[in-house]
Every structure is written in C-alpha cells, then in structure tokens.
Amino acid sequence: MLRLPAPVYAEIVGHCLGGLPDEACGLLGGDPASGDVARCYPTRNLAASAKLYTVDPGEHLRADRDAESRGIEIIGVFHSHTHTDAYPSPTDIAQAPDPGWHYVVVSLRDTHPVLRSYRIHGEVVEEEPVAVEPR
Amino acid sequence: MAVEVRLPTVLRQHAGGRSAVIAEGGTIGEVLADLVRSYPGMKGQVLTEDGTLHRFVNVYVDDDDVRYLEQLDTKVADGVTVSILPAVAGG
C-alpha cells in the first residue's frame, strides 16, 4: 500500500505534466515500514527524453540528506510515461534498484493522468493499492 | 586512511543492517575494494568484475559525484564522507 497525501499526489502529477514532452521523474520520501509518503522530491530528468529517465544523481544525494534530516527515507521513485500505460517498462524492471522501493508510474497517454504504484522483485512486478489522502 | 562510507538500503543487508561503515583507502577505488573485501556480499554490486564502477550505483565524495571527478582514481582526504546511492533510471 502506498499512501500519498493529496498535495503530494498533485505535486507528482504536476511535475510529470510540466516535464512534457519528455518523461519526468522524482523521488518519494516517507516511512519504509508503512509506505506512507511524507513528501516528494521532483528531480531533473538527465536523459531529457520522451522514452527514458535518469534521476539527477546530485539531486538524489540532496534529497537523501533532506529526508534523513526529517527522519524519513527515500522509499521510491516516480516517473511518467508519455505515450504508454502506467506499467513498468522492461527497462524500468531491469534497472529497479531496490526491492523495498515503491515504483510509481504516471501515464500521460490519455486525457487524464493515471498514477499506479508497483513493487519490483527481480523480474516480478506486483501492483499495490494507492491511497490518496487529505492532509 | 579510514573514511565513513554511507550505504543505500539495498546494500545494508550485507553489512549487518548498518547504514554506514568504515573502509580504508587513499582513492575511491581503494575504498570500494576494501568495502567489498570486508563485506563480500556486495561483490558485483558496487564494482564490476573488471574493477570499474558499477553503472547501477552513484558514488560521492562529500557532495561530489565521482563520475565528474576522477572516477575510481578520485583521492580521498581525511574526514570526508563517501556516499553510495542507487543510480535511478528507467524508461
């Protein structure tokens, strides 16, 4: 279960829309035990591509330190798919760094953005429920 | 010299759950080789079989990504912190 406060949900989707025509990405800070997201860290997509993303490593380090200073951890990543479903691509699965993370994909293919979250263990992809909660 | 190496969650299981450990070396390459010697479970996850930096990790000396410094030849001074984070990318 991934719990997203409504303002964080809006920030994630807004960052993804703002990144068009390229994919956009960012990190999620929260509680690794519960899956409660406290904040998101929008980052640059170093790949600057409609088909690939790379989280800026310098921004990742700053996000990691900020999260630690707040008593939370980086517990996942979000990125957009501009022309495909909200499902991890083979590249996403192959490069998923941490089986403990939440992998959020935002599809911008249709009129309304679609946000889904997954756990990825090796090549096994499991969708998890997403709760958007008023703060 | 001995420096603190901060580990990403995915590597902590190989270091008894610790988020930071001490490793020795005068360059990043030496520090990472010492890290893998001490915690063999990290073999193949930080350095490749050829001894190069694995593309799935980013390594920093204090605030600086070593890929923009001298990679594995980057000098490590006393008192610096080495951080390892996963390289986060996809399609």
Side-chain angles (χ1 to χ4, degrees):
Chain A
M1 165 77 87
L2 185 76
R3 292 180 198 277
L4 290 173
V8 175
Y9 175 89
E11 196 178 355
I12 291 170
V13 172
H15 183 63
C16 289
L17 288 168
L20 285 171
D22 290 341
E23 289 193 5
C25 55
L27 298 161
L28 304 172
D31 178 356
S34 66
D36 287 2
V37 175
R39 59 199 302 118
C40 77
Y41 297 93
T43 63
R44 277 195 304 161
N45 174 7
L46 271 194
S49 157
K51 293 184 175 169
L52 296 170
Y53 79 93
T54 301
V55 170
D56 181 302
E59 292 181 54
H60 185 172
L61 182 67
R62 286 194 289 279
D64 193 71
R65 288 185 178 161
D66 181 83
E68 186 180 25
S69 75
R70 296 171 190 276
I72 57 178
E73 286 184 24
I74 300 300
I75 62 168
V77 58
F78 69 90
H79 78 285
S80 59
H81 282 174
T82 58
H83 292 93
T84 54
D85 274 337
Y87 190 84
S89 66
T91 315
D92 295 332
I93 296 164
Q95 300 194 20
D98 190 331
W101 273 20
H102 302 263
Y103 293 88
V104 169
V105 185
V106 179
S107 173
L108 304 175
R109 184 188 60 189
D110 301 322
T111 309
H112 295 290
V114 175
L115 182 152
R116 297 190 192 281
S117 184
Y118 302 87
R119 311 303 289 264
I120 302 176
H121 301 262
E123 293 182 356
V124 179
V125 179
E126 195 176 348
E127 185 170 1
E128 64 176 347
V130 177
V132 179
E133 299 181 331
R135 190 174 251 175
Chain B
M1 66 197 66
V3 295
E4 182 185 51
V5 182
R6 300 176 57 95
L7 302 171
T9 49
V10 72
L11 292 183
R12 291 175 194 169
Q13 60 184 305
H14 305 300
R18 277 173 286 182
S19 61
V21 297
I22 301 295
E24 303 247 359
T27 63
I28 282 294
E30 291 169 9
V31 167
L32 297 179
D34 186 52
L35 179 73
V36 174
R37 262 196 302 279
S38 303
Y39 306 101
M42 294 184 200
K43 193 164 189 273
Q45 299 195 55
V46 179
L47 297 170
T48 65
E49 284 187 7
D50 301 335
T52 58
L53 191 57
H54 202 295
R55 70 186 182 97
F56 286 172
V57 295
N58 295 319
V59 177
Y60 311 80
V61 173
D62 288 333
D63 294 343
D64 298 316
D65 185 338
V66 302
R67 284 199 174 85
Y68 298 108
L69 299 172
E70 292 170 70
Q71 308 234 20
L72 294 179
D73 295 329
T74 303
K75 298 264 189 306
V76 175
D78 221 356
V80 301
T81 299
V82 174
S83 303
I84 303 174
L85 287 176
V88 186

